[in-house]
Amino acid sequence: MTELDVAALQRRLAEFAAARGWEPYHTPKNLAVALSVEASELVEIFQWLTPEESARVMEDPRSAHRVADEVADVFAYLLQFSEVLGIDVLAALAAKIDRNELRFPVPESKDRHSSE
């Protein structure tokens, strides 16, 4: 997804909320709580599945639809949360990956093994 796509989705979500007068409720706290609730609803789908069942969850159209809906809800609230706080979600992710690459370097033994 490009920055333009993210920005367009954020504008669309903001317009959706504005048309319904929901902006006063879209505080960082409320959006963080909503994000957590939606993430929990995603977890609920997988709660009692075995690892093998969870790997096949997208094979059943009913569960695939539920998973996709919850992923969309999580992403929507994350985009709204980021918009309200002025966080460039793609830049934040890129910076986090950069920091993680420094924090967790590839072990030398793995690096040698993969180049052999």
Side-chain angles (χ1 to χ4, degrees):
M1 181 167 287
T2 67
E3 288 184 46
L4 180 60
D5 293 329
V6 169
L9 289 171
Q10 285 176 311
R11 278 193 306 277
R12 192 168 170 197
L13 288 165
E15 290 167 2
F16 181 88
R20 290 152 181 83
W22 293 350
E23 303 104 315
Y25 307 105
H26 286 191
T27 64
K29 178 198 77 76
N30 287 351
L31 291 169
V33 169
L35 176 59
S36 176
V37 168
E38 294 302 337
S40 295
E41 289 179 6
L42 180 61
V43 169
E44 182 181 31
I45 296 168
F46 293 89
Q47 184 174 11
W48 303 114
L49 300 181
T50 66
E52 296 77 21
E53 290 169 334
S54 71
R56 294 188 312 268
V57 74
M58 298 306 284
E59 293 172 9
D60 178 347
R62 290 172 306 202
S63 61
H65 179 72
R66 287 181 60 211
V67 169
D69 274 357
E70 295 308 334
V71 166
D73 288 342
V74 168
F75 192 48
Y77 279 118
L78 180 61
L79 289 179
Q80 291 172 315
F81 178 81
S82 298
E83 175 73 13
V84 165
L85 291 178
I87 297 169
D88 179 332
V89 69
L90 296 180
L93 177 56
K96 181 66 174 188
I97 292 169
D98 290 344
R99 286 192 307 277
N100 282 344
E101 287 174 340
L102 294 173
R103 267 181 81 196
F104 307 104
V106 176
E108 286 187 36
S109 61
K110 180 176 171 124
D111 193 34
R112 266 186 308 203
H113 178 69
S114 63
S115 65
E116 292 175 356

